[in-house]
Amino acid sequence: MTQNLNWWKGGIIYQIYPRSFMDSNGDGIGDLVGITSKLEYVASLGVDAIWLSPIFTSPMKDFGYDVSDYCDIDAMFGTLSDFKALIDRAHELNLKVMIDQVISHSSDQHPWFEESRQDKLNPKADWYVWSDPKPDGSPPNNWLSIFGGSAWKWDSRRLQYYLHNFLESQPDMNFHCPDVRKAHLDNMRFWLEHGVDGFRLDTVNFYFHSLGLEDNPAVPEGEPKTLGAPEDNPYTYQRHVYDISRPENLDFLKELRLLMNEFPGSTTVGEIGDDFPLKRMAQYTSGGDKLHMAYTFDFLNKFHSPDYIRDVLANMQNIVGDGWPCWALSNHDVVRSCTRWGENEDPKAYPLIAMALILSLRGSVCLYQGEELGLPEAEVPFDRLQDPYAIPLWPVSKGRDGCRTPMVWNNTYHGGFSTVEPWLPVDDRHLALSVAEQEADPSALLHKIRQLIHWRQKQPALVNGEFEQADVSNHDLVALIRSYDGQRVLVVLNMTGQTQAAELPMNISQPLEGHGFSSSVDGKRLILPAYQAYYSVLSE
């Protein structure tokens, strides 16, 4: 059997948040052995790969996104041997394994930073972004941290400020330093040689800063605050011209692509938080010499009207060109889509039609753990909060803990996740939606999403095809055409809670069956019940 080296193109990636997937040793925290024990379930969904959020050695001040050793597994999750066993089992099940790479910054407990901060002359003095204060002692410029306040922290040893785009304990690395770039490429080579199939690159456009340290301008009055942070965050008030998305980054991404090319079948997906994300996606994924794909945030907000979806698709088509998006409805940083989009919709039907949307688009797909179960955002009481972003902003923001609670495997007190109290509480509403409960119910959402994924994986036009929007006369419907190898497939989605009808302006050759949705066609008139989709092959 010929190996598909481009498996990622149109592939479906299942995101696992390791702390919350499965606890194998009874400490209330998920681990690698626990993940390995559940890979057969993941494979049963029909996905192509798993993506593991950070598993590296870390003080866990930002739950692994503050790395203190890039080439070892944190003892909380297990050992390198456990990780190799996970990779071997995943590959037996035809699952690829992708891991997070958090290289724009490290933990302040990383030996590199501990050396860098000692003085201005040590071998790693330039490995992080350091700057003298202004004459009045204030920070060098107006750059802000996403987590609040100035992006600069005073260090009394060097008598300088260091840059941190995130927590003070996450100093930014200086990618203008060749040794830093080499160290991270070596780090990624280490994991590729251990058998990983790709990387999810955290904050991939944050690697370089302007050496001039110019002040960022304010967002012009009347223009949208587009970066994606909540509008109550001052970070959104600036146009991030000098602190992120610098042109030098393109050359580094080309260096990275050359490394990936040494390992055929490996891939990269970049997380881009930018004032103009689609422009950046086009830059970073076009031409086949930088990133393979980029993670899009367009469906990770609260907007989901048919008009909004059409605008997103039009912008994607007009701006991204030959670049490649990776779509998602949920992840470990945002309110789960079943609440964010589906709060006022049918909780059993809406998650399926939302999944049909992203499975029908040109691009790859990330499916977040528990999304196949229709889990709503969990309620986490203040005294159980763990997220460092949430605690100072409570109750205006409840942070990210609500989407990070444990996976529910059965209807027991801890959801089958652990034998002890988990690091975050299991929401009682999740128990009735557990894997075991839904496996036992033939009408459950889990079976429907599994059926839809398996069906989609057998449709070349939906996996690999080109894309165009279609007009079916009813603007409450979303319609598009996917074309591949001479076949054109019409997709019509009714994401509303009412039956919708539309005149089809094209000839239908045959409807496609097996996806689990219902509809009827009378001549060219399509009748779509609430939360249903229609797929058909178009005739010439």
Side-chain angles (χ1 to χ4, degrees):
M1 183 176 178
T2 303
Q3 183 182 11
N4 177 17
L5 299 181
N6 288 326
W7 63 269
W8 55 271
K9 200 163 192 178
I12 303 174
I13 303 163
Y14 187 90
Q15 182 193 353
I16 291 175
Y17 194 68
R19 293 179 70 97
S20 296
F21 199 62
M22 183 65 197
D23 171 20
S24 73
N25 60 2
D27 64 358
I29 297 172
D31 48 54
L32 296 179
V33 173
I35 294 170
T36 304
S37 73
K38 297 297 186 181
L39 287 179
E40 192 168 340
Y41 163 77
V42 176
S44 79
L45 299 175
V47 301
D48 298 285
I50 60 171
W51 149 31
L52 302 181
S53 291
I55 52 176
F56 314 109
T57 306
S58 167
M60 297 292 167
K61 292 184 179 179
D62 192 20
F63 300 106
Y65 285 90
D66 49 331
V67 179
S68 57
D69 187 339
Y70 284 99
C71 293
D72 202 0
I73 304 294
D74 194 281
M76 174 187 297
F77 299 125
T79 65
L80 276 172
S81 295
D82 294 332
F83 184 60
K84 185 64 169 70
L86 184 155
I87 291 177
D88 290 345
R89 180 59 178 148
H91 289 169
E92 288 174 3
L93 294 166
N94 294 316
L95 289 171
K96 306 292 186 182
V97 178
M98 302 178 67
I99 59 174
D100 245 302
Q101 286 290 288
V102 190
I103 63 175
S104 71
H105 54 270
S106 75
S107 165
D108 61 358
Q109 296 181 30
H110 197 295
W112 295 345
F113 185 71
E114 290 179 344
E115 181 175 352
S116 184
R117 76 191 315 180
Q118 294 306 312
D119 54 53
K120 300 176 184 179
L121 300 175
N122 67 78
K124 292 185 172 56
D126 295 330
W127 280 44
Y128 292 82
V129 182
W130 295 95
S131 180
D132 293 326
K134 289 181 178 178
D136 63 359
S138 60
N141 60 30
N142 71 345
W143 297 354
L144 297 174
S145 163
I146 290 177
F147 283 0
S150 172
W152 297 96
K153 172 68 175 176
W154 178 253
D155 186 86
S156 58
R157 274 155 286 196
R158 281 188 54 143
L159 300 180
Q160 287 185 304
Y161 285 95
Y162 67 82
L163 178 68
H164 62 93
N165 277 297
F166 300 95
L167 296 175
E168 290 180 358
S169 57
Q170 295 169 305
D172 272 59
M173 302 204 71
N174 178 19
F175 273 73
H176 292 284
C177 174
D179 288 341
V180 167
R181 299 196 297 272
K182 181 181 184 303
H184 279 309
L185 291 173
D186 288 346
N187 144 47
M188 286 185 268
R189 180 182 295 278
F190 173 87
W191 292 110
L192 290 165
E193 290 175 345
H194 273 73
V196 304
D197 302 288
F199 303 115
R200 181 265 191 184
L201 296 157
D202 186 65
T203 59
V204 71
N205 58 315
F206 279 61
Y207 296 164
F208 285 84
H209 65 287
S210 170
L211 290 173
L213 301 183
E214 300 92 336
D215 280 351
N216 280 328
V219 173
E221 186 175 353
E223 290 193 12
K225 298 177 174 66
T226 57
L227 197 72
E231 289 209 1
D232 57 3
N233 186 338
Y235 191 83
T236 66
Y237 289 45
Q238 294 182 0
R239 276 282 178 259
H240 293 273
V241 177
Y242 299 110
D243 51 347
I244 62 174
S245 303
R246 301 297 300 167
E248 300 94 328
N249 206 28
L250 296 175
D251 287 335
F252 175 72
L253 296 181
K254 290 177 181 179
E255 287 185 76
L256 173 57
R257 184 58 174 260
L258 291 175
L259 169 63
M260 304 305 291
N261 290 345
E262 295 180 34
F263 297 83
S266 65
T267 192
T268 53
V269 55
E271 178 200 33
I272 299 174
D274 189 83
D275 290 328
F276 306 100
L278 294 184
K279 176 183 175 183
R280 209 64 59 207
M281 181 185 294
Q283 281 187 334
Y284 284 16
T285 65
S286 63
D289 61 348
K290 296 175 286 292
L291 297 178
H292 297 78
M293 48 188 167
Y295 197 77
T296 171
F297 289 81
D298 294 277
F299 294 151
L300 295 177
N301 54 37
K302 63 184 179 181
F303 307 111
H304 60 286
S305 69
D307 283 340
Y308 174 78
I309 292 169
R310 278 189 289 271
D311 286 345
V312 167
L313 300 185
N315 289 335
M316 187 70 66
Q317 191 170 21
N318 294 335
I319 298 172
V320 173
D322 70 339
W324 197 257
C326 186
W327 302 95
L329 295 172
S330 294
N331 67 22
H332 63 291
D333 281 335
V334 299
V335 173
R336 284 185 174 273
S337 62
C338 290
T339 295
R340 182 172 25 88
W341 277 19
E343 188 169 27
N344 298 315
E345 310 285 354
D346 184 321
K348 294 184 178 180
Y350 191 82
L352 185 65
I353 191 65
M355 187 62 58
L357 169 67
I358 61 172
L359 289 175
S360 299
L361 301 179
R362 177 183 178 273
S364 303
V365 171
C366 272
L367 170 64
Y368 183 50
Q369 65 181 50
E371 205 165 1
E372 73 277 16
L373 304 176
L375 298 184
E377 182 80 352
E379 290 292 334
V380 180
F382 179 78
D383 63 352
R384 294 295 304 275
L385 287 182
Q386 302 286 335
D387 182 9
Y389 183 71
I391 295 170
L393 297 177
W394 178 273
V396 174
S397 171
K398 295 184 178 181
R400 301 168 295 180
D401 289 328
C403 62
R404 297 177 176 184
T405 57
M407 183 73 171
V408 280
W409 297 102
N410 57 46
N411 193 3
T412 61
Y413 181 59
H414 300 309
F417 165 75
S418 179
T419 58
V420 301
E421 184 66 33
W423 75 286
L424 281 173
V426 173
D427 191 314
D428 288 343
R429 296 173 301 159
H430 288 186
L431 297 178
L433 300 172
S434 73
V435 172
E437 293 289 312
Q438 296 203 37
E439 292 284 20
D441 178 3
S443 66
L445 177 66
L446 172 60
H447 293 291
K448 294 177 179 180
I449 284 188
R450 185 183 278 135
Q451 177 184 353
L452 177 62
I453 290 174
H454 279 275
W455 175 82
R456 182 265 192 187
Q457 299 288 57
K458 298 175 183 176
Q459 311 302 318
L462 298 184
V463 176
N464 297 306
E466 292 303 310
F467 161 86
E468 60 185 287
Q469 294 204 63
D471 184 1
V472 294
S473 78
N474 183 341
H475 280 242
D476 286 325
L477 300 172
V478 174
L480 53 106
I481 297 170
R482 301 293 306 278
S483 304
Y484 183 76
D485 198 23
Q487 184 187 63
R488 303 177 76 230
V489 172
L490 171 68
V491 182
V492 186
L493 304 164
N494 179 9
M495 302 184 69
T496 76
Q498 297 79 41
T499 296
Q500 302 287 345
E503 297 298 321
L504 300 176
M506 63 282 289
N507 294 318
I508 306 302
S509 170
Q510 65 184 76
L512 293 171
E513 307 291 347
H515 41 69
F517 290 108
S518 62
S519 61
S520 62
V521 177
D522 179 11
K524 284 190 175 182
R525 183 173 173 80
L526 170 67
I527 308 296
L528 263 181
Y531 309 115
Q532 297 296 302
Y534 174 72
Y535 297 86
S536 67
V537 177
L538 298 178
S539 58
E540 294 299 325

